[in-house]
C-alpha cells in the first residue's frame, strides 16, 4: 500500500475467512457489499486494473493483494485500569494468596505517578495497533479507590470512541461481602455508567457464596445489566458455584448476558461432574472466558461440544499480576490453541473464533462481521488464511473502526487520540 486513504470506499482483492477472494465495498461506516473475485489468474489481471482505478477520481480504492480480512478482533477480558504501560517498567513482585496479591497491587498502584486514564490510553493504542476493535474491561471498585477508576475509564471510553468500543465491568477486586460498602459502590458504579456487574470467588474470597451471588444478581436485575464474574475456585467447589450461577441465570432470564471468567475448575474435575456442569451452563446460556493460563483451564473443545459458548481475552497486560501481555488477540488465540492442542486448520479456525465471532456474540455486539450492513470494524492481516493468522500472528496491515483507518502496520495513524505529552509512548 503506497498511500492509505482515511476512509476507503473499496478494499480490493482481500481473502475472506472462508478462503474466497473478494472486493469489499464500504459506505457510511458499514460494509456495503462483498463481491467475490474470479480465479487466481483472472484476479492478477483484476489487481492491475485496480491499480489503474486507484489513480482515478478519489483514490479511495485500496488494493490489499490477497491479505486476509477479518472483522476487528475482540478482547473479551482486560483490566485497562491496572496496566503499567505508559509508565516506567515495574519489576514484578510475586504474591501468595489472591487476597495477598490484591493488597500488594493496591500498594504498587498507589505509588504510580502516571494517571489511570493515561496508562489505559497507552494500552488501548497498543491493542488497536494489533487489530482489536472491541474490548470488555473490568475496573476495580473497592473501599480504597471508590469510583475513581471507573470515572477514569469512562473518560477513556469517550476519548477512544473513534478507535475502539469499550464495555466496563464494575469489578469488586477486594471482595463484596467482606469489603465494607462495596455493594453500595457497585450500585453507584452501575448508575454512573458501568455496563456490567462483576464478582470474585464467592467462596474462596468472600467465604459466602449466597451472599455475593445474591448481591451480584440482585444488582443485575435492578439495573438491567449483564454479569461477568471472576472464578478461580478449584475443582468441585468451583463447579458447584458454576451450577449455582447457571440456575440463577436461568431463573432471571439472563441467558446470553452472564459470563464466568477463568473457571479453572472446569479443567480439573471428573467426567461426570464436568458433564453435569457443562450441561447446566449450556442450558442457561452462561459463557466461559479463558485467557489460556498456566495450570488447569476450561477445555475448549469439550465445552463447545456440550453447547457452551467459549471466548477469549488477554486478562492482565503488564501489571501487578504478571509482567507479560502484548494485547495481541491473534497471539492470545495461539496461546489457547497450543494449550488446547488445536492443530488442524478447522481447529485453528475455532481458535480464531474465540477472538472474533464467539467473543462478539458473548459481548452482545451488533452488526459484527463481514456481511452487508455490518459495521466496518475490520483488520487486514498479512496472511493467506485464518489458520496461518493464528499459527503465526503476523503483521496487521490495516485496522479500521466504523469505516475509518485507525492504524497501519501496527501503528495508530496521526490525528487520533494519544497519551498526553510526557507520557511514555508504547509503539
Amino acid at each position: 500500500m503506497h498511500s492509505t486513504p482515511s476512509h476507503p470506499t473499496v478494499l480490493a482483492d482481500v481473502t475472506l475467512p472462508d478462503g474466497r477472494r473478494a472486493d469489499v465495498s464500504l459506505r457510511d461506516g458499514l460494509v456495503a457489499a462483498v463481491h467475490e473475485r474470479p480465479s487466481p489468474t483472472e484476479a492478477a489481471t483484476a489487481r492491475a486494473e485496480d491499480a489503474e482505478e486507484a489513480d482515478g477520481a478519489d483514490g479511495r480504492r485500496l488494493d490489499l493483494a490477497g491479505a486476509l480480512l477479518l472483522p476487528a478482533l475482540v478482547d473479551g477480558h482486560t483490566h485497562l485500569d491496572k496496566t503499567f504501560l505508559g509508565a516506567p517498567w515495574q519489576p514484578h513482585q510475586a504474591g501468595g494468596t489472591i487476597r495477598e496479591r490484591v493488597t500488594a497491587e493496591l500498594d504498587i498502584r498507589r505509588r504510580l505517578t502516571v494517571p489511570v486514564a493515561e496508562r489505559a490510553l497507552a494500552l488501548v493504542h497498543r491493542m488497536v495497533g494489533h487489530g482489536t476493535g472491541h474490548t470488555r474491561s473490568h475496573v476495580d471498585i473497592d473501599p480504597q479507590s471508590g469510583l475513581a477508576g471507573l470515572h477514569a475509564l469512562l473518560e477513556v471510553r469517550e476519548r477512544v470512541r473513534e478507535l475502539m468500543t469499550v464495555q466496563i465491568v464494575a469489578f469488586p477486586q477486594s471482595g463484596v461481602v467482606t469489603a465494607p460498602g462495596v455493594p453500595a459502590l457497585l450500585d453507584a458504579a452501575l448508575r454512573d455508567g458501568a455496563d456490567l456487574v462483576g464478582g470474585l470467588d464467592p467462596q474462596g474470597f468472600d467465604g459466602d457464596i449466597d451472599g455475593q451471588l445474591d448481591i451480584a444478581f440482585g444488582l443485575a436485575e435492578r439495573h438491567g445489566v449483564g454479569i461477568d464474574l471472576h472464578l478461580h475456585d478449584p475443582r468441585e467447589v468451583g463447579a458447584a458455584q458454576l451450577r449455582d450461577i447457571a440456575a440463577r441465570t436461568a431463573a432471571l432470564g439472563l441467558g446470553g448476558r452472564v459470563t464466568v471468567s477463568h473457571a479453572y475448575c472446569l479443567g480439573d474435575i471428573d467426567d461426570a461432574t464436568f458433564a453435569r456442569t457443562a450441561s447446566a451452563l449450556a442450558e442457561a446460556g452462561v459463557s466461559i472466558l479463558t485467557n489460556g493460563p498456566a495450570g488447569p483451564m476450561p477445555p475448549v473443545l469439550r465445552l463447545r461440544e456440550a453447547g457452551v459458548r467459549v471466548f477469549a481475552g488477554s486478562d492482565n497486560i503488564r501489571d501487578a499480576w504478571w509482567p507479560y501481555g502484548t494485547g495481541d488477540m491473534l497471539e492470545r488465540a495461539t496461546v489457547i490453541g497450543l494449550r488446547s492442542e488445536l492443530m488442524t486448520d478447522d481447529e485453528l479456525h475455532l481458535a480464531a473464533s474465540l477472538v472474533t465471532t464467539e467473543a462478539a456474540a458473548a459481548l452482545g455486539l451488533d452488526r459484527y462481521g463481514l456481511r452487508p450492513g455490518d459495521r466496518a470494524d475490520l483488520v487486514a492481516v498479512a496472511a493467506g488464511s485464518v489458520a496461518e493468522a493464528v499459527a503465526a500472528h503476523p503483521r496487521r496491515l490495516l485496522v479500521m473502526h466504523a469505516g475509518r483507518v485507525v492504524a497501519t502496520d501496527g501503528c495508530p495513524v496521526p490525528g487520533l487520540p494519544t497519551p498526553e505529552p510526557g507520557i511514555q509512548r508504547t509503539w
Side-chain angles (χ1 to χ4, degrees), residues 195-249:
D195 302 293
L196 301 95
V197 62
L200 172 65
D201 295 346
Q203 175 59 46
F205 203 89
D206 268 347
D208 187 349
I209 296 172
D210 286 339
Q212 184 178 136
L213 294 182
D214 283 350
I215 291 168
F217 279 87
L219 287 169
E221 184 178 24
R222 185 182 314 153
H223 290 275
V225 299
I227 298 173
D228 194 327
L229 296 146
H230 286 59
L231 183 65
H232 311 97
D233 287 341
R235 297 178 289 280
E236 174 55 29
V237 172
Q241 291 173 79
L242 287 176
R243 295 191 296 273
D244 191 347
I245 290 165
R248 290 169 180 264
T249 299

Side-chain angles (χ1 to χ4, degrees), residues 393-417:
H393 41 92
R395 288 168 51 216
R396 307 311 124 87
L397 303 173
L398 182 78
V399 182
M400 302 184 70
H401 192 72
R404 180 183 187 182
V405 175
V406 295
T408 57
D409 283 320
C411 296
V413 300
L416 294 170

Side-chain angles (χ1 to χ4, degrees), residues 41-212:
T41 301
E42 293 169 318
T45 303
R47 279 200 301 275
E49 294 171 353
D50 291 342
E52 293 178 6
E53 290 183 28
D55 292 329
D58 63 7
R60 293 169 66 190
R61 183 181 180 92
L62 190 59
D63 182 11
L64 288 169
L68 177 68
L69 187 68
L70 297 172
L73 306 178
V74 181
D75 194 331
H77 187 122
T78 55
H79 291 269
L80 294 177
D81 61 321
K82 293 179 182 288
T83 187
F84 296 152
L85 281 170
W89 175 264
Q90 302 292 313
H92 183 66
Q93 299 180 23
T97 66
I98 290 180
R99 189 174 289 278
E100 289 170 344
R101 292 180 69 182
V102 168
T103 301
E105 180 194 15
L106 287 170
D107 181 61
I108 295 168
R109 289 170 61 188
R110 196 177 296 116
R111 291 186 273 110
L112 289 176
T113 59
V114 180
V116 168
E118 298 308 326
R119 289 185 280 110
L121 188 57
L123 177 51
V124 166
H125 277 81
R126 176 73 64 88
M127 295 164 68
V128 168
H130 289 307
T132 294
H134 311 277
T135 192
R136 174 179 288 177
S137 176
H138 299 250
V139 61
D140 287 8
I141 305 294
D142 55 46
Q144 292 79 14
S145 58
L147 302 181
L150 169 68
H151 293 154
L153 286 201
L154 291 172
E155 174 195 339
V156 169
R157 179 166 69 183
E158 180 59 26
R159 289 176 67 181
V160 304
R161 59 197 301 267
E162 295 183 2
L163 304 176
M164 176 191 287
T165 65
V166 180
Q167 293 182 3
I168 300 176
V169 184
F171 174 46
Q173 174 76 84
S174 298
V176 178
V177 179
T178 57
V182 164
L185 284 170
L186 293 173
D187 187 55
L190 294 168
R191 289 198 308 270
D192 282 3
D195 302 293
L196 301 95
V197 62
L200 172 65
D201 295 346
Q203 175 59 46
F205 203 89
D206 268 347
D208 187 349
I209 296 172
D210 286 339
Q212 184 178 136

